[in-house]
């Protein structure tokens, strides 16, 4: 046993003694070990070599493969020159917020030269999730796939594919993105857009100096391939399709869906989609796999580029020399109808082995408005935000501020003055939230605070996210740590609490961890707060997180031993 694993064993023993319950993997499951070395490495894109932060020198980073119910131990060694944390996106981490990862929420960051051992507890998840840095803008290049196979003795609820292929969609900046972040934080302005979208780290051969590196997927005629698609980008919703082929969607966010065939998908940052690709072209040949930005708000600058990879039939030698076919069914950059129609088709599988359990009775109802806002520019400062102000964002008009120590540690040790427990259940004022033609300046301002929402263990929570037209309506990918929720309703306009609940799908709604709230519309989620701890909720557009579009749920311990948060590990980083 290596020295790095000793603290983990001590923690496991301490947890057993403290709670009197098992914290080992489920029967038949395994403990899997990984070492992540955070370090700088050189990568060339768009004719420019850059030094970027990576895991084990790889961009994208290494994939983690496991089975449902496994325990994954990841030893993270920070050999870079800045603080960092890692988040296991979509993993519920039952009773274990200590390993969830967001900096200053559940932990202090890992300092240069330091290390931390994460315990990634897989429970009900099955399918595709991902891991990424949760500090500053580091996840631009620090991210990778988590592939969770069925338990031994069980199988996919669809025909076993010939091969599984992670397809990670992302972005590339020619500049150091953290330097851009620092400049934006200094002057209060926007953050420069990326220079290219990417597929598995490559922009594709539509970009200069990119032909040799373009990602290629060899296929054989008659075989079926499972594409595990992840949107790891910081700022772009994406349309995705494969020329000459339909896709059959079978999963999202680590849970199976009722299969449905599409010509394209729309995937928001943070989301994953599992899709089957049938290599059924009798004429063989080469076909572009393409990812294009979907921009719901064209009043702001966006990277509307198209990344490509190439699907090529290996049993068709002449066709491998032909130029790839480009997808004719890839929607335009502002095609909101196509995005809406795709998302509306997502349904939970609802089989005997993968049942649906939508809570019917709600204990806590929240209406949470989403807004891009401003804060006043300080005296003797020049700010680059709207009307000379500082750019901000909010939930229920609270612009979240990270404390200087982590909220989880403060909560666990009853440290006062770190956070307030009065995050509101509804916005402080009501108006026609989605009237895009009426955006008076007096609605732009917000207030800063570190406000959290405290929930009783086991309570059923319904959150209705309401987009607003303040400084421009747009889609928002809202992500909740610690829980997979049911997306029970969606619509455009202002949520009507008298009429809209009658339209909810309580039979087979999609089971997700990141919901795309429609532009000038709303989305309703439900979850049972049966996971004690401190859990971050935020928009997955990273500039919105930096501006304050976040809050925290604190779920109290329940009475039973298995309903209590685990004790902290012995090697938590300190602030």
């Amino acid at each position: 046993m290596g020295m790095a694993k000793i603290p983990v064993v001590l923690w496991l023993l301490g947890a057993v003694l403290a709670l009197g319950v098992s914290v080992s993997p489920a029967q038949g499951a395994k403990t899997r070990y990984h070492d992540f070395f955070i370090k700088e490495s050189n990568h060339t894109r768009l004719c420019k070599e850059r030094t970027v932060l990576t895991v084990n020198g790889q961009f994208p980073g290494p994939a983690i493969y496991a089975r449902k119910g496994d325990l994954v131990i990841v030893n993270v060694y920070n050999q870079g020159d800045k603080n960092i944390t890692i988040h296991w996106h979509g993993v519920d981490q039952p009773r274990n917020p200590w390993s969830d990862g967001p900096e200053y929420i559940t932990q202090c960051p890992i300092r240069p030269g330091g290390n931390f051992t994460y315990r990634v507890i897989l429970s009900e998840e099955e399918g595709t999730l991902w891991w990424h840095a949760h500090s500053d803008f580091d996840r631009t290049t620090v991210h990778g796939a988590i592939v969770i196979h069925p338990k031994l003795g069980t199988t996919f609820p669809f025909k076993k594919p010939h091969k599984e292929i992670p397809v990670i969609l992302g972005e590339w900046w020619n500049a150091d993105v953290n330097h851009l972040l620092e400049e934006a934080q200094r002057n209060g302005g926007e953050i420069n857009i990326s220079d290219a979208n990417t597929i598995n780290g490559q922009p594709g051969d539509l970009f200069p100096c990119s032909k040799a590196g373009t990602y290629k997927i060899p296929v054989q005629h008659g075989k079926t391939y499972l594409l595990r698609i992840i949107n790891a980008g910081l700022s772009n919703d994406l349309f995705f399709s494969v020329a000459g082929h339909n896709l059959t969607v079978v999963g999202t966010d680590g849970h199976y869906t009722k299969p449905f065939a599409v010509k394209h998908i729309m995937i928001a940052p943070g989301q994953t989609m599992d899709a089957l690709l049938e290599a059924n072209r009798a004429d063989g040949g080469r076909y572009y796999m393409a990812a294009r930005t979907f921009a719901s708000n064209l009043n702001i600058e966006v990277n509307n580029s198209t990344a490509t990879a190439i699907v090529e039939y290996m049993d068709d030698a002449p066709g491998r020399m032909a130029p790839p076919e480009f997808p004719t069914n890839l929607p335009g950059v502002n095609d909101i109808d196509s995005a809406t129609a795709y998302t509306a088709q997502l349904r939970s599988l609802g089989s005997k082995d993968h049942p649906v359990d939508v809570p019917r009775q709600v204990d806590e109802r929240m209406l949470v408005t989403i807004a891009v806002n401003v804060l006043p520019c300080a005296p003797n400062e020049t700010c680059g935000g709207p009307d000379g102000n500082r750019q901000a964002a909010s939930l229920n008009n609270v612009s979240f501020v990270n404390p200087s120590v982590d909220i989880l540690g403060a909560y666990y040790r009853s440290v006062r003055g770190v956070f307030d427990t009065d995050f509101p259940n509804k916005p402080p004022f009501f108006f026609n939230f989605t009237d895009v033609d009426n955006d008076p300046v007096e609605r732009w301002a917000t207030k800063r605070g570190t406000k959290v929402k405290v929930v009783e263990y086991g309570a059923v929570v319904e959150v209705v996210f309401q987009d607003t037209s303040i400084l421009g309506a747009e889609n928002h990918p809202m992500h909740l740590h610690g829980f997979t929720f049911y997306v029970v309703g969606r619509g455009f306009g202002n949520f009507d609490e008298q009429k809209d609940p009658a339209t909810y799908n309580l039979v087979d709604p999609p089971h997700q961890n990141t919901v795309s709230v429609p532009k000038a519309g709303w989305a309703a989620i439900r979850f049972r707060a049966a996971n004690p701890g401190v859990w971050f909720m935020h928009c997955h557009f990273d500039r919105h997180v930096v501006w304050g579009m976040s809050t925290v749920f604190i779920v109290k311990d329940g009475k039973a031993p298995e309903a209590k948060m685990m004790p902290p590990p012995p090697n938590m980083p300190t602030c």
Side-chain angles (χ1 to χ4, degrees):
M1 178 180 294
M3 291 297 293
K5 299 181 178 67
I6 291 176
V8 178
V9 174
L10 293 175
W11 181 21
L12 287 168
L13 178 60
V16 171
L17 294 175
L19 299 178
V21 296
S22 172
V23 291
S24 300
Q27 185 174 3
K30 292 184 177 181
T31 300
R32 302 174 187 269
Y33 294 93
H34 292 265
D35 289 328
F36 277 15
F37 295 95
I38 308 291
K39 58 185 179 181
E40 293 184 336
S41 59
N42 292 332
H43 293 264
T44 300
R45 303 289 187 273
L46 308 181
C47 316
K48 181 181 176 67
E49 184 179 66
R50 266 194 57 211
T51 300
V52 299
L53 210 58
T54 62
V55 169
N56 300 350
Q58 302 174 42
F59 168 56
I64 290 175
Y65 290 88
R67 290 191 180 274
K68 184 177 181 179
D70 282 354
L71 173 64
V72 181
I73 305 294
V74 185
N75 300 307
V76 176
Y77 301 89
N78 187 358
Q79 299 176 346
D81 62 356
K82 68 181 301 295
N83 293 342
I84 200 165
T85 67
I86 303 292
H87 169 54
W88 318 95
H89 186 112
V91 178
D92 289 349
Q93 291 280 30
R95 303 170 41 239
N96 183 32
W98 306 102
S99 286
D100 190 49
E103 65 174 350
Y104 301 110
I105 306 300
T106 60
Q107 70 168 94
C108 300
I110 308 167
R111 300 176 188 176
N115 71 283
F116 180 55
T117 299
Y118 289 93
R119 294 179 59 247
V120 184
I121 302 173
L122 302 177
S123 52
E124 298 303 313
E125 306 88 357
E126 187 174 326
T128 306
L129 296 173
W130 62 301
W131 59 265
H132 61 80
H134 214 302
S135 46
D136 296 331
F137 276 8
D138 298 319
R139 76 175 174 92
T140 313
T141 51
V142 179
H143 59 251
I146 302 175
V147 174
I148 307 170
H149 287 116
K151 291 180 179 179
L152 287 174
T154 66
T155 188
F156 299 113
F158 46 82
K159 180 182 176 182
K160 185 178 179 180
H162 174 66
K163 191 175 181 181
E164 303 170 37
I165 303 168
V167 178
I168 302 179
L169 312 178
E171 294 171 87
W172 176 264
W173 274 262
N174 281 330
D176 185 318
V177 69
N178 275 315
H179 288 171
L180 297 178
L181 170 61
E182 291 166 7
E183 175 64 15
Q185 290 176 317
R186 184 191 63 77
N187 67 24
E190 263 281 10
I191 296 158
N192 288 4
I193 63 171
S194 57
D195 294 285
N197 290 321
T198 58
I199 297 178
N200 286 344
Q202 295 288 346
D205 60 13
L206 302 184
F207 286 86
C209 305
S210 300
K211 187 176 182 64
T214 298
Y215 185 75
K216 295 181 176 64
I217 299 175
V219 299
Q220 295 178 335
H221 183 266
K223 303 290 188 181
T224 299
Y225 298 82
L226 175 58
L227 305 183
R228 297 184 175 275
I229 307 163
I230 300 164
N231 187 344
L234 267 64
S235 50
N236 293 332
D237 291 332
L238 292 166
F239 289 117
F240 174 89
S241 70
V242 179
H245 299 74
N246 286 340
L247 298 170
T248 301
V249 178
V250 293
T252 180
D253 285 6
H255 293 270
Y256 295 118
T257 62
K258 288 183 171 64
F260 62 99
V262 292
K263 297 182 183 301
H264 63 265
I265 70 170
M266 194 287 284
I267 184 168
Q271 290 183 333
T272 70
M273 300 285 170
D274 290 337
L276 298 175
L277 172 68
E278 301 278 354
N280 54 10
R281 289 298 298 260
D283 51 348
R286 306 171 80 220
Y287 303 86
Y288 275 130
M289 173 185 292
R292 172 185 292 162
T293 300
F294 162 52
S296 59
N297 181 5
L298 290 180
N299 291 322
I300 59 175
E301 189 179 9
V302 296
N303 169 2
N304 64 355
S305 67
T306 301
T308 57
I310 298 174
V311 174
E312 50 188 14
Y313 282 73
M314 299 309 292
D315 43 8
D316 175 28
R320 292 204 300 276
M321 302 303 294
E325 179 181 319
F326 193 84
T328 58
N329 48 26
L330 193 64
V333 66
N334 61 343
D335 191 343
I336 194 167
D337 290 338
S338 290
T340 303
Y342 170 76
T343 302
Q345 297 179 78
L346 292 169
R347 296 282 189 276
S348 285
L349 180 59
S351 67
K352 179 182 176 181
D353 294 330
H354 303 281
V356 176
D357 182 24
V358 185
R360 296 303 180 104
Q361 301 297 320
V362 176
D363 301 303
E364 289 263 12
R365 296 184 188 275
M366 302 177 70
L367 176 65
V368 177
T369 50
I370 302 170
V372 174
N373 306 93
V374 297
L375 292 164
C377 196
N380 302 318
E381 264 192 343
T382 300
C383 292
D387 211 23
N389 291 290
R390 180 170 286 276
Q391 194 80 64
S394 68
L395 298 177
N396 275 352
N397 212 44
V398 178
S399 185
F400 188 84
V401 180
N402 275 353
S404 57
V405 297
D406 62 300
I407 291 175
L408 174 58
Y411 168 66
Y412 185 78
R413 298 176 180 87
S414 301
V415 178
R416 295 184 177 182
V418 175
F419 58 87
D420 298 313
T421 59
D422 58 347
F423 182 83
N425 280 352
K426 60 183 180 181
F429 51 89
F430 283 75
F431 57 98
N432 184 352
F433 297 123
T434 58
D435 183 0
V436 294
D437 296 321
N438 183 21
D439 181 24
V441 173
E442 56 267 23
R443 291 196 192 126
W444 291 6
T446 185
K447 296 180 180 179
R448 305 184 79 195
T450 307
K451 296 181 182 292
V452 309
K453 170 69 178 176
V454 179
V455 179
E456 296 293 329
Y457 179 86
V460 173
V461 181
E462 178 177 300
V463 180
V464 177
F465 295 110
Q466 174 69 64
D467 185 35
T468 70
S469 59
I470 297 174
L471 288 172
E474 64 180 306
N475 279 33
H476 292 276
M478 297 302 300
H479 173 50
L480 176 60
H481 293 220
F483 297 93
T484 307
F485 48 72
Y486 288 102
V487 183
V488 295
R490 295 163 55 90
F492 289 100
N494 299 309
F495 177 74
D496 187 328
E497 64 179 8
Q498 301 301 320
K499 298 179 180 178
D500 286 327
T503 69
Y504 283 0
N505 175 8
L506 302 179
V507 177
D508 58 356
H511 211 191
Q512 298 184 284
N513 60 65
T514 306
V515 59
S516 180
V517 181
K519 173 182 179 178
W522 58 270
I525 68 170
R526 281 188 190 176
F527 63 96
R528 186 173 285 105
N531 192 9
V534 170
W535 306 108
F536 203 27
M537 184 174 77
H538 61 94
C539 180
H540 227 272
F541 290 145
D542 275 30
R543 70 188 190 283
H544 290 173
V545 180
V546 169
W547 294 342
M549 196 177 285
S550 317
T551 190
V552 168
F553 278 96
I554 293 181
V555 178
K556 293 182 179 179
D557 279 350
K559 295 180 180 180
E562 64 272 14
K564 297 183 185 298
M565 187 169 62
M566 292 180 187
N571 61 336
M572 288 296 296
T574 57
C575 291

